[in-house]
Amino acid sequence: MPRLMPLALLLSVLALAACGGSDDEAATATTTAPPAKPAERLRVGLITDLGQLDDDGFNELAYRGVQQAQKQLGIKGRVVESASAADYIPNMTSLARDGYDLVIGVGFAQGDAIGKVAQRFPETKFAIIDVDQAYVPGKPENVQGLLFREEEVGYLVGYLAGLEEKRRAGKDVISAVGGMKEPPVDRFIAGYFAGAEKAAPGIETLLDYSQDWDDQAKCKELALNQIARGSNVVFQVAGGCGLGALNAAGERGVWGIGVDADQSFLGPHILTSAQKGVDSAVFLTIESIQNGSWEGGGNATFGLKEDGVGLGKVSPDVPAEDVDRVERVKQQISDGEITGIPTEVGKAK
């Protein structure tokens, strides 16, 4: 027995040493563990329509929203320009396959394409500007429509147009040149005619569609014909094509009204612009994905109250009292005092 004691003690010491070694290894493992992998940057792809990025309007505004998200949210953005309508599906498919978190389609014309691609890539989020999600083919739950209350700002520019037209001698006549006959275009125009009628009861309204978003010559010809028929204010709702209508207004010395972006830079003949906050809508959509509040399967709608639409710069030649009257009308719309603004052409009263 006396000889076994040292062996027992030795085993105890070895056991304690082994336990101590385990603690040291655990501590070492804790202190030398690799840092957590940083969260991957949100990836957002933007598909332009045929107007391209330099359209001084819709596409350019959407791109600004992506740029703002890059600066403020740190996302990775990519823009793909479409040369033809046949490019929409391949462009969207390419972004989805590359693992982009959000794919944004710019404009009504991309509605069918985004519906088809979204159904093939249910894990990718899609947003479509100017298209009601309920009318997207298949109504995919991973699609969100970005809509605007164009009739509200249309009403404002129409009201201002009516006020200025009343100041001219002779018959009161205003006009609009639309691109394609689509819901967002008609919401602008219906509101425009309704606002003008409110400011100048009995005013005559003229309307033509170019059936084109890009050919400025087509819109210029339509506007020149309207001016020849007595129009003294031309509202363009035709994208890049509509720049031709504003050019015609400048040449003939009548007022022109821009659309989507502030187009006052085109010259002193621009009365104002019916701005559409496409950039804000794009930014807010991207932000909602980053903060987890994004909801597919429905729409996000932006009006005067949400600063989703609004007036551009008003010509300094407009009397201050007219500007004040328009501002009062704007507040009444925002506060819900003015409701029922028409959204379909032919229903303006």
Side-chain angles (χ1 to χ4, degrees):
M1 289 296 294
R3 290 183 178 182
L4 293 175
M5 289 297 291
L7 179 59
L9 289 171
L10 177 60
L11 292 173
S12 298
V13 170
L14 291 174
L16 289 171
C19 291
S22 296
D23 290 341
D24 290 342
E25 288 173 5
T28 301
T30 300
T31 57
T32 60
K37 184 179 179 181
E40 294 186 2
R41 294 165 63 191
L42 190 72
R43 303 174 72 200
V44 178
L46 180 73
I47 308 291
T48 72
D49 69 8
L50 306 186
Q52 308 299 310
L53 285 180
D54 58 351
D55 63 350
D56 293 321
F58 218 60
N59 291 293
E60 185 175 334
L61 286 170
Y63 180 46
R64 287 181 193 172
V66 173
Q67 289 179 308
Q68 183 183 359
Q70 287 176 316
K71 290 179 181 178
Q72 297 185 24
L73 305 177
I75 64 106
K76 179 181 179 181
R78 180 183 173 191
V79 177
V80 181
E81 295 187 280
S82 304
S84 72
D87 292 335
Y88 294 151
I89 289 180
N91 287 343
M92 293 175 189
T93 300
S94 177
L95 290 173
R97 282 178 176 165
D98 287 346
Y100 275 74
D101 302 285
L102 172 65
V103 177
I104 303 173
V106 179
F108 191 84
Q110 295 188 42
D112 287 348
I114 213 162
K116 293 175 182 177
V117 178
Q119 292 180 72
R120 292 171 55 193
F121 297 91
E123 299 304 314
T124 303
K125 295 178 175 63
F126 293 83
I128 179 70
I129 298 170
D130 269 356
V131 178
D132 189 325
Q133 189 272 348
Y135 295 100
V136 173
K139 302 179 183 179
E141 290 296 313
N142 56 329
V143 174
Q144 183 183 62
L146 305 183
L147 304 180
F148 300 83
R149 296 186 178 91
E150 293 93 349
E151 69 276 8
E152 294 183 349
V153 70
Y155 190 93
L156 289 183
V157 298
Y159 193 86
L160 180 59
L163 293 178
E164 301 319 296
E165 184 61 355
K166 282 204 308 183
R167 292 182 177 277
R168 292 176 181 263
K171 186 177 180 180
D172 297 333
V173 185
I174 63 168
S175 63
V177 175
M180 303 292 184
K181 184 174 174 56
E182 298 172 351
V185 172
D186 281 359
R187 287 195 292 268
F188 267 127
I189 296 171
Y192 172 63
F193 287 164
E197 174 66 25
K198 183 66 176 180
I203 193 170
E204 182 179 346
T205 57
L206 307 175
L207 171 61
D208 293 288
Y209 295 94
S210 64
Q211 304 301 328
D212 194 285
W213 295 115
D214 306 299
D215 190 343
Q216 295 187 26
K218 289 183 179 180
C219 285
K220 183 172 183 177
E221 181 179 359
L222 292 175
L224 288 173
N225 289 336
Q226 292 174 347
I227 295 167
R229 293 168 59 191
S231 175
N232 291 305
V233 186
V234 179
F235 180 27
Q236 81 95 347
V237 194
C241 174
L243 298 177
L246 297 181
N247 179 258
E251 287 185 1
R252 293 294 186 269
V254 303
W255 287 119
I257 298 177
V259 76
D260 295 335
D262 188 336
Q263 297 182 322
S264 59
F265 65 90
L266 293 173
H269 62 290
I270 302 300
L271 178 61
T272 188
S273 300
Q275 289 186 283
K276 195 167 175 175
V278 175
D279 50 348
S280 177
V282 167
F283 175 81
L284 291 173
T285 300
I286 296 171
E287 185 179 49
S288 73
I289 292 178
Q290 194 168 76
N291 64 27
S293 64
W294 186 86
E295 293 184 6
N299 301 311
T301 306
F302 308 86
L304 282 175
K305 186 175 182 180
E306 299 82 11
D307 292 325
V309 294
L311 285 180
K313 181 181 178 182
V314 177
S315 170
D317 294 331
V318 173
E321 61 185 284
D322 289 353
V323 175
D324 291 341
R325 292 177 67 181
V326 172
E327 284 297 320
R328 286 196 295 271
V329 170
K330 175 183 176 182
Q331 192 60 52
Q332 289 173 332
I333 295 174
S334 297
D335 293 343
E337 295 179 25
I338 294 178
T339 60
I341 299 174
T343 57
E344 298 178 34
V345 174
K347 293 189 177 183
K349 296 181 181 180

